[in-house]
Each structure stands twice: as C-alpha cells, then as structure tokens.
Amino acid sequence: MTEAIRTEGLVKTFGRTRALDGLEMSVHTGEVHGFLGPNGAGKTTTIRILLGLTRADAGTAQLLGGNPWSDATALHRRLAYVPGDVTLWPNLTGGEVIDLLGRMRGGLDKQRRADLLERFDLDPRKKGRAYSKGNRQKVALIAALASDVELLVLDEPTSGLDPLMEEVFREAIRDEQRRGDRTVLLSSHILSEVEALCDRITIIRDGRAVETGSLADMRHLTRTSIRAELSAPADGLAALPGVHHLHAEDGKVSFDVDTEALDSALRQLTAVGVRSLVSQPPTLEELFLRLYDRKGEAAPRGSGAGAEVAR
Amino acid sequence: MNELVGTGRLVRLILRRDRVLMPLWVVWIAIIPIGYVASINGLFPTAAGRQTYADESAHNAGFVALYGRLFGSSLGELVAWRAGFIPVAIGLFTILTVIRHTRMEEETGRRELLGATVVGRYAGLAAAVLTTCVANLVLGALVALGLMSQDLPAAGSWALGLEFAAAGWMFAALAAVVAQLTASARSARSIAIVVLAATYVLRLAGDISAIGSGAVSWLSWLSPIGWVQRIRPYGGDRWWPLALAVGVTAVLVWVAVALSARRDVGSGLLASRPGPASAGAGLRSPLALAWRLHRGLLLGWAVGFALLGIVFGGVAKSVGDMAQDNQTFADIVARVGGTAGVIDSDLAGSIGILGLIAAAYAIQATLKLRDEETSGHAEPVLSTATGRLRWAAGHLLFTFLGPAVALLASGLAMGITYGSTAHDVGGQVPRLVAGAMAQLPAVWVLAAIAVLLFGTLPRLSPVGWGALAACLLLFLVGGAVRLDQWVMDISPYTHLPHLPGGEVTATPLVVLTAVAAALAVVGLAGLRRRDMPTP
Ligand SMILES: Nc1ncnc2c1ncn2[C@@H]1O[C@H](COP(=O)(O)OP(=O)(O)O)[C@@H](O)[C@H]1O
Ligand SMILES: [Mg+2]
C-alpha cells in the first residue's frame, strides 16, 4: 500500500503558540482520510505545511512522494485544495474563478463542471462579492472536484453549507471514493461528516495525533446505547464487564456497552426474554468527547458498571 | 416620521464607534489654519511684506493651483488662502465617515441586524448625515473661535469656519447619494473620492485660467470647492455662496432619500450585473489574473496623469508670460536662459511632481500583493501549479510598468497641450515624453523598496509609503531650508536629470535602475523563503 501523505514529528510554532507538536500522520493512496480535531488543534497549519505555504520548524513531510516545500509547483499540478475560509475576488464571477483555478492546475473536466454546478445549485454568473460564505465555498469545491487530480485537500469544506448542500457534498465525495483512484484528505470538526465519509481517520489535538486508524478500529473505543423492555429482571447485567450507566426499572433497562462486550450483553438479555429493543450505534461524538474531556488519557476499558453509574 | 424612528440611538452608536477618530480629524483640521496665523505673522510681520508676498503669490500658477485665488494681502486673507486645500481634506474625511456608517453597515450586514429592531427606514442614513454635518459645524466653530482668539476679525473668522462646514455638508450629502448607488462600500468610496478629486481639478483649472487668459475660468463654477472659496473670508465675507451650498446639500439629501426609498437594504441602484458564466479563453495564467485585478487601477492612474499633464502643459506658457512681465524675475530669467529656460524649468518642476506621484502608484500596485495574500486570495492560486515568483511577477509587472504607462500618458498630454500653445507639438512631445520617462529609475527604486519590504518583512510593507513621504519631504522643503547635500542625496529623485532643459548623463539612471533591480531581487528571494501569512 502506497502513501499519499506522510508526516513525521512535524513541529510548527507561532511565537509562543505551539501549533504542531510532533505530528505523525499517514494517508494511504486512494482512501478518504478524515482529519478530525476541534478548532485550533492544528489542522489548517498541517495542511498549509503540506501545501508548501508554510515551512515546518522540525520534522518531515512527504506529499505524493515529493517534498511539499521544494517540489511545491510540480506537486500542485496533481492536487486540488479548498481552503477553510474561501474568499473570492470581488470583480470576478464564480464561473471565472472555477475556470481560472482549474486551468492553473492544468485542466478541468467540462462535463463534470457543468454537472457539479447543477448539483450544488450554484449560479456561476454572480460576482465574487455577491456570494454568501456557503456559495463561495461551493465555488472552490466545484473548482477542486472538477479538476483531474490525484489528491483533494479539503479544509473544513462544509462549514458554510446548509444540510441539503452538505448531502450533495457527501454524495460527491462518495463518487470520488467509488472511482477509487483519488485520495481525499478531509479536515473537519464535524464528526458525523467524517463518520459518514471516511475510510480512515486521524484525530488531532493540540498539535498531536491522538488516535489514528479505520472507523472500525475506533469503534472498539466506543459504546452502543441499548434500551430494552424485558419479560423479567436481568440480574446478570450489572456484573458484566463493559456495561456502563445501567438503569433498571419496572422491567425496563438502559445501559451503554463497549463494543467487545456487546455480544455477551445481548445474550444476557435474550436469556431473560426481550419485548422491545432500541440500540443506538456508537458515534464518534462520544469518542471525541471522551478523548478531549480526559486530557488525552487513554479511554477506560471494562470498568465496572457500578463505578460508572456513580459517576 | 416613523421612518426616522431610532435616529437618536443610531447617532449615539456612531458617536461611540467614532469616539476617537472623529474628534481627531475635526480637531486636527481645525488647528491647521490657526497654525498659519503664527507662521505668516512670523514670516511677514509688516503689511508691506505681506503685500509683496501676496502680489507674487496671486499670480504664481503653482500656488493658485494648490490653494486657489488670492485677492488681498491682509493677514486674514492670507490665512484663508493658505487654508485653500482644507476643504478637500474635510471632504475626504466626511466621505469616509458617511460611507462607513451607511453602505459599509449594509455590506457587512450589521444594518440588517439593526433593521430588525425598531429602526425607521431612513434612520441609518439620517444618523450618518446628521452626525457628520454636526461634526463639520463643530469644526467650523472651532476654526472661527480659534482665529478670533488670534485677534482676527470675527466676521471673517466665522466666514472661514462656515466655508469649511459648508464644504463638509455638501460632501456629506454627496456621499449619502453615492452610498445608495453601489452594493459595495469600496466602489462607493471610490466613486465619491473620484468626484471629490474632480471638483478639485475643476477648481484648479478654472483658477489657473483666471490668472492667465481667463478662457475657461468658468470651470471653477462647476466645483463646490470653487463656490465656498467665493465666500472670500476677511475680504468681503460674501454670504450668498453659503446659501448656495446649503441649497445643494438639501437637494442632495433629498435625492439620497428618494433613491434609498427605491431599493432594498443591502442592494445598490447600480445593480452588480451578472457576469460571464465561464472564463474567457485568455484568463488562464497568473498574469491574466493580475491584469484583471490591476486594469482599473492602471486606467485610473493613466487618465489622472494625462489630466495632470494637460493642466501642467496648459499653464506652462502663462508661467513664461508672467516671468516676462515681472521685473523682479528679470535677472533670474536671464540666468536660466530667457523665457524658454523659465518654461523648461517650470515643466521640469511639474515632471518632478509627476515622478513622485508615480511612485505612489508603484507602491500601491506592490501593496496589492500584500493585500492578495492577507485577504486569502493568494492561497488558492499558490496551491495550483503557480509558484510564488510567477504569482508575484504578474503583479510586479504593473508595479514597474504601470508607472511607465502613467508617465508616458502625462508626457504625451503635456507635450500636446504645451506644444499647441507654443506652436511646436512635434518638437515638444518627444522632449516632454523623454523628460517624464527619465523619472522612472527613481520611481523604480521606491517601488523596489516596497518589494523588498513585502518579501522580507511583510508586516512592514506599508512602510514603503514612509520612504515616499521622506522623498516628498526632501523635495518640498530640502531646497528651502538648505539641507546638506548628503541628506538630499538620500532621495533617488535628487539624482535625476532636470528635463526638459537640463543635462543628461547615463550614470545616475543606470545606477538607480541597478539599485532598484538589486532591492527587488532580494525582496523576491525573501518571498521564496518565508511563510505565506494565514488569511
Ligand atoms: N499565523 C499564525 N500566527 C499565530 N498563531 C497561529 C497562526 N496560525 C495558526 N495559529 C495558531 O495555531 C494553532 C492551530 O491553528 P490551526 O492550524 O488554524 O487550527 P485548526 O485549523 O485545527 O482550527 C491555533 O492555536 C492558532 O491560534
Ligand atoms: Mg482551520
């Protein structure tokens, strides 16, 4: 498996602020990679280093097999970038900007451009100053998606889009995924987006990667919420490792369960007899909160239900 | 009067937001004429001294161009005359203030936020115009009281104060109209400032004509600045121009209200028309992009320079005529080689001024690069196959060649206008074009200083203006206060030949060009190495 992006020990300081503090990251070719972190975590700084706009103080970065600083121009032919805060020239129309950026990258798929304009419902004839934030973002997205490049670098690309357009964006990224030959680096602080789109994820906090892996890898860190109505009291549940937040009342139970304990917990329930059952899938939201609330200490495993209830 | 509900609250909001800026410009401008009293008193303590100075100044084309016409020699009249540029400064601050609190509020969406509260339809406009007009009145009163405290006649002092206030009122009302036209505050500001500049140029052209042949002296009457100067403080104190100014202000405010009634919040009357849905075949390179971003600026400067060339070329002949008529100048005239020499040195002086102004364009064009990177426009471009140097080169083409186009335009215009009065177009055009173009090496040095700062110390880029200000200062006061030659030599302009008429040696031109090239190269090397700023 080849790597589209690899960074080792990346450090960048701005005066007293240590924006990146030894960042390690690896993005495989052909995958949609989520780059997840709260505001100020260092996502944009990392991306700017990968684009050769900023030089790292220490560490190495490799992009499409080249050095992002010294080979910038050559590498940029093979990638397209959507900044987090898109600003457009006030006197150029959206359509002109799409074409200009596409041509400066080395070409644009006309058919795809028309198709994307339609899907994103963007009027390309407006002047830059007349677009809202979301529409400016659409201009940059269309310019990037319609370019024939190996790598898409998207910095919080949906922060100005409404839910409808966000769905259009997801659909467009899934198209890229199906094509299979494009790598996408998607920075975001929106968990559901990363969850819905990404093959692998790097979670960054205070300039360090705190977790990295596939969504499935991460799920072992997360818990499923179960609510069930039972025929009789389920006595054994509280004793099971991996069951948290247990509440039992009038034959109804609710609890959270670690993914690896899911099977044994369900066996317990069916043994008693289940009348109804609602389960909520693990969300990254929860993982995210746990990772950040606890100052980076490893997520607790298998602690007793009693202790959890008391918390 | 429901439409004005909330005006009082908005006035308070404006006063709060401008609590530093507004008192600053009001007081600063009001102090200037008071300072003139002391300086004129110091230079010409006797009535006879003032008389001689006034006689010479009243016919000096340069002075008349800058300040307006002078009709008497009393201390008050000289002060009022020297303050002739102040209405322009007042107009500028007034325009910026009114647009900041009207169109800018709408553009940023703050107006909408307020509009949802209990605020009448015209309250924003009324509050901005009212506050600015009262600020101008305060300014006028400060001027009047300040001059009276210097023992100048009360009537004349109030006439001068009200002259300033009236100028402010008209430009406040003008800005209110312009603010209705465009959706962007930037275009509104540009339009209003162009109108302000046009009123100044009309006044200048009319007044210069009046001291010469008088053929187009009526041009002053097209200019609000010309009107208020007809009040003639201390020299007649005529009040009717004041009534004219108040009338024009009222009409303009009425127009602004009528226009604002016809449009939606946030939109402009000059609707931003939709443009092309896709880029033309040519828009495919950083250079083509730079052309799109710079062409308006280039056109504006070229037209401005051509107009200045027409004015300078037009007055040159009358400067020669005046020198001929004036006995006190006779020996100077003989020394510089007769009337032709006087005219040449006047033209060379004008070209020197053009050279300094051209550097302002060069610096402005360079700072566009900084503007592009801090506004975030540069980032998407630099993330394409466009390297930093190619990106910068597109803009720097305008930095270095834009002033050449502007100077060429002014040289041509001077050559044609002066040539036609001297019946020698064919001979004068090449001389004056060459003279204007010879300014370029000095312009390039200042441009290159701006490039150097941009590349190596980007945050300090605006300091490039400081370099120009220093050259301007040396140009204006250096000769008068007899600075040491080495101080004068700091300015690249000191090393330029005085053309037309002077001698030309290649060395200074080549050296200045080489210095400029070296500074620019260092600047570009810095640009390649440094971080691009986070937008
Ligand atoms: N140009 C800069 N100057 C100073 N501090 C900066 C600069 N750019 C980023 N930072 C700081 O670095 C940290 C990381 O910022 P950033 O990479 O923009 O985070 P993210 O994109 O994840 O929100 C923040 O604390 C931010 O304030
Ligand atoms: Mg960011």
Side-chain angles (χ1 to χ4, degrees), chain A residues 12 48 73 89 93 103 125, chain B residues 275-276 280 372 379 385 531-532:
Chain A
K12 179 74 188 177
R48 290 171 55 80
T73 319
W89 297 276
T93 65
R103 288 168 183 176
R125 298 165 65 228
Chain B
E372 285 286 289
E379 208 173 85
D531 285 356
M532 300 307 286

Side-chain angles (χ1 to χ4, degrees), chain B residues 516-529:
Chain B
L519 293 173
V521 166
V522 174
L524 290 176
L527 173 65
R528 285 189 65 181
R529 306 170 66 86

Side-chain angles (χ1 to χ4, degrees), chain A residues 12-20 35-48 54 155-156 187-189 204 206-207, chain B residues 459 531-535:
Chain A
K12 179 74 188 177
T13 53
F14 296 103
R16 293 242 184 105
T17 318
R18 209 167 167 84
L20 294 183
F35 191 30
L36 192 61
N39 292 321
K43 303 183 293 294
T44 301
T45 306
T46 309
I47 288 176
R48 290 171 55 80
T54 298
D155 191 4
E156 307 207 12
S187 118
S188 178
H189 66 268
I204 174 175
D206 293 342
Chain B
R459 271 167 225 266
D531 285 356
M532 300 307 286
T534 331

Side-chain angles (χ1 to χ4, degrees), chain B residues 259-395:
Chain B
L259 292 179
S260 106
R262 278 155 198 270
R263 64 181 189 87
D264 299 333
V265 170
S267 72
L269 279 174
L270 307 177
S272 58
R273 277 165 296 141
S278 54
L283 187 58
R284 57 187 324 120
S285 64
L287 180 61
L289 174 63
W291 165 246
R292 279 294 289 273
L293 301 178
H294 280 269
R295 64 185 181 189
L297 204 61
L298 176 65
L299 184 69
W301 278 96
V303 169
F305 264 64
L307 288 177
L308 282 173
I310 290 173
V311 170
F312 289 146
V315 299
K317 182 87 180 352
S318 28
V319 172
D321 295 346
M322 267 184 287
Q324 216 161 25
D325 300 343
N326 193 325
Q327 283 308 309
T328 45
F329 284 148
D331 56 332
I332 308 177
V333 172
R335 207 165 58 222
V336 298
T339 321
V342 171
I343 294 177
D344 274 355
S345 95
D346 174 74
L347 287 168
S350 302
I351 286 176
I353 294 174
L354 290 170
L356 281 157
I357 304 178
Y361 173 26
I363 293 171
Q364 190 187 16
T366 309
L367 290 183
K368 190 107 182 133
L369 272 170
R370 177 72 183 151
D371 209 36
E372 285 286 289
E373 68 172 5
T374 51
S375 64
H377 294 160
E379 208 173 85
V381 173
L382 291 173
S383 70
T384 68
T386 303
R388 292 180 188 196
L389 290 186
R390 274 194 73 207
W391 166 70
H395 291 270

